[in-house]
Amino acid sequence: MVHSAGLAIIYQNKILLVKPANARWWKSYGIPKGHVEEGESTIEAAIRETKEEVGIEIPKFMIGEEHELFYVKKNKQWKRIAYFYVLISDLSDIGLESEILPKEMLQAEEIEWAGFVSFEEAPLPPY
């Protein structure tokens, strides 16, 4: 089973979503997340992956409890995603000035776009 972890960062009823590089624009958004490495806890992986993908380092004290979901990928392999909520009251809490992250913050080979979107604006996830 593939095991991933990430952070669901919420600001003013909007969630930070990323669009993977080289993916279609429709149904390809998700939270910053990635594989949990050997010997790494899910919270450590979530913090590391968020820092790598979008350049935001979230301190542990800002992170809520762990949640998880399971789904079957197209190739019939189960995937477990552990995620943690991070509620922020101001963009400056995480070093941002805008709801759309500047390209220079993004891990270019993996992430093409990142920003906060409302539920109505958010496209359906690919699973």
Side-chain angles (χ1 to χ4, degrees):
M1 178 182 302
V2 176
H3 185 187
S4 293
L7 299 178
I9 303 172
I10 310 295
Y11 167 65
Q12 294 184 350
N13 293 320
K14 296 181 179 186
I15 186 167
L16 177 64
L17 294 182
V18 300
K19 187 225 168 264
N22 304 316
R24 60 187 179 180
W25 279 94
W26 176 248
K27 294 188 177 183
S28 61
Y29 291 82
I31 64 171
K33 67 183 178 314
H35 294 290
V36 177
E37 295 178 357
E38 182 85 26
E40 187 176 45
S41 71
T42 53
I43 196 167
E44 290 168 340
I47 292 168
R48 176 186 52 77
E49 286 289 342
T50 301
K51 173 72 171 161
E52 289 175 4
E53 290 188 355
V54 296
I56 299 171
E57 189 165 0
I58 303 291
K60 280 188 181 180
F61 76 86
M62 292 179 71
I63 299 173
E65 66 184 50
E66 181 175 341
H67 303 274
E68 62 185 15
L69 68 98
F70 295 85
Y71 72 93
V72 178
K73 294 174 68 171
K74 289 179 185 174
N75 63 2
K76 307 293 187 229
Q77 181 180 21
W78 279 96
K79 184 169 187 175
R80 174 183 179 246
I81 300 175
Y83 63 96
F84 302 84
Y85 285 109
V86 177
L87 301 175
I88 61 170
S89 58
D90 194 271
L91 291 172
S92 64
D93 294 346
I94 57 173
L96 296 177
E97 296 177 3
S98 170
E99 291 182 6
I100 305 300
L101 279 65
K103 280 233 184 232
E104 53 273 5
M105 288 183 72
L106 309 179
Q107 186 179 24
E109 59 276 359
E110 288 196 30
I111 305 299
E112 182 175 339
W113 181 91
F116 287 89
V117 296
S118 68
F119 178 78
E120 293 79 22
E121 296 169 319
L124 295 172
Y127 38 83

